[in-house]
Amino acid sequence: GHIAVGMGNLSEGRQVLEQAITLSAEHRFATCALLGWRFLAEAELASGSHEVALEIASSAIEVSQRPEIQNDYEQYMLVNTKARCLMAIDEVRQAGRLLEGYWPKIVQSACPPLIAHTAFSIGMLYQKMIAVAPSSAIQAKHRAKSNEFLAKSKQVWKDLGNPYRIQKVNQVQMNA
């Protein structure tokens, strides 16, 4: 499903992801279901269905936190997805509070991809904040924070040898 969405076949991808989620839930494969929900939320976000994506990500986060599941990796990745959904609907402060609360846990996880994804999301958050900053001094402060987090993300992706993600960070930095 994720591949179909990536190739532009949103309805086919959505259908495959929903089937995978249903089968995963029926067979109690929580990680597979969470991954499916994350991919589905990201597909909805990319297609402009921000509220739908937000609802999916929020529900999946709740599932990931259940005591019998406790899947920190998917929870943290879903938090990134939820934060991007919130930014897409101009709920920048709420996205900031969400990322701020999770950032220490993500750094403590010592999982480089999580750190890189979250640093990227935080960098994007600060870019959104630049546009609504009341003064040029605050804009400069937000720009510096954005650059700091984007550089952190880029360095982790370099360390992991992921040219695709490096290119994504470069695109954001060039458009800043």
Side-chain angles (χ1 to χ4, degrees), residues 56-108:
I56 293 167
S58 297
S59 296
I61 289 169
E62 289 176 21
V63 171
S64 73
Q65 294 172 333
R66 289 183 185 163
E68 67 273 17
I69 295 173
Q70 282 297 304
N71 187 319
D72 291 341
Y73 181 83
E74 281 304 322
Q75 178 185 350
Y76 299 157
M77 290 299 289
L78 284 157
V79 162
N80 275 282
T81 302
K82 182 176 179 177
R84 288 194 318 273
C85 294
L86 290 166
M87 285 187 262
I89 60 172
D90 293 325
E91 292 289 342
V92 177
R93 286 186 184 188
Q94 192 175 349
R97 283 191 297 272
L98 180 66
L99 291 170
E100 180 181 40
Y102 276 92
W103 178 243
K105 296 175 192 176
I106 290 168
V107 170
Q108 189 177 25

Side-chain angles (χ1 to χ4, degrees), residues 1-2 5-6 10 13-14 17 37-49 53 81:
H2 184 64
V5 169
L10 183 62
R14 184 182 293 132
L17 285 169
W37 279 317
R38 179 165 53 93
F39 286 164
L40 186 58
E42 290 173 359
E44 295 293 349
L45 180 61
S47 73
S49 299
T81 302

